[in-house]
Amino acid sequence: MKNRVELSRLVQGGAQEKFEREWDRVMKNIDDPNTSATAARSITIKINLKPDAKRKTLNSTVEVKSTIAPDNPLDTTFIMGTDKDGNVVAKELLFGDEEDQTFFDNEGTVRTGTGEPVDQDTGEIKSGDGNVVNFR
């Protein structure tokens, strides 16, 4: 008598089902553009066997788990300055590499690199809170 176990039949096919679920999870992770294309992924099948004291029966558990690539980090840049009261203020730079650059938003409004609208006639920044921040 051979000591043979077919993984596809183990736990009435449950081990195969768990493997296929993890396989699909790994394939979706590889296809996700928010993850590294070249990062290694893995699927592990772990079978624990625990015999009884008489060595007549075995209790077993089957675990199937995968290791996938994490989402790529998101980069951003903040510029820092002080307001009129001397408080440190940081604001995310939405466009470009320089705080003095301007850009057109999706509605055609000219905005600073941090997103404040710019008066097209005077070139002044239209700040809604009336608080002036020195980003220099």
Side-chain angles (χ1 to χ4, degrees):
M1 176 169 116
K2 277 190 171 181
N3 227 353
R4 184 174 174 186
V5 174
E6 289 186 42
L7 291 176
S8 64
R9 293 185 175 188
L10 191 60
V11 196
Q12 295 84 39
Q16 180 72 34
E17 288 178 18
K18 286 184 172 282
F19 172 79
E20 289 172 2
R21 183 177 330 140
E22 294 304 312
W23 179 266
D24 289 343
R25 183 173 181 242
V26 168
M27 292 302 110
K28 287 178 184 172
N29 183 257
I30 291 171
D31 190 48
D32 185 346
N34 294 310
T35 63
S36 169
T38 58
R41 281 81 164 174
S42 66
I43 299 174
T44 304
I45 300 173
K46 180 178 178 182
I47 302 171
N48 291 309
L49 305 168
K50 184 172 184 201
D52 67 2
K54 295 180 182 180
R55 301 176 193 211
K56 296 291 182 187
T57 63
L58 295 169
N59 285 325
S60 67
T61 58
V62 178
E63 294 178 61
V64 181
K65 59 184 176 180
S66 61
T67 302
I68 57 175
D71 282 355
N72 293 327
L74 301 174
D75 294 324
T76 191
T77 301
F78 285 85
I79 58 172
M80 294 180 58
T82 55
D83 65 14
K84 65 181 179 181
D85 297 322
N87 299 312
V88 176
V89 177
K91 209 151 193 204
E92 184 176 15
L93 191 59
L94 302 177
F95 178 80
D97 296 330
E98 298 291 328
E99 61 193 76
D100 295 334
Q101 283 184 303
T102 58
F103 68 99
F104 289 101
D105 67 11
N106 291 337
E107 288 78 38
T109 303
V110 177
R111 295 190 177 270
T112 67
T114 57
E116 288 90 3
V118 175
D119 186 307
Q120 291 185 12
D121 295 327
T122 65
E124 294 178 343
I125 298 171
K126 301 176 185 177
S127 178
D129 60 11
N131 197 0
V132 177
V133 176
N134 178 7
F135 286 114
R136 293 179 203 251

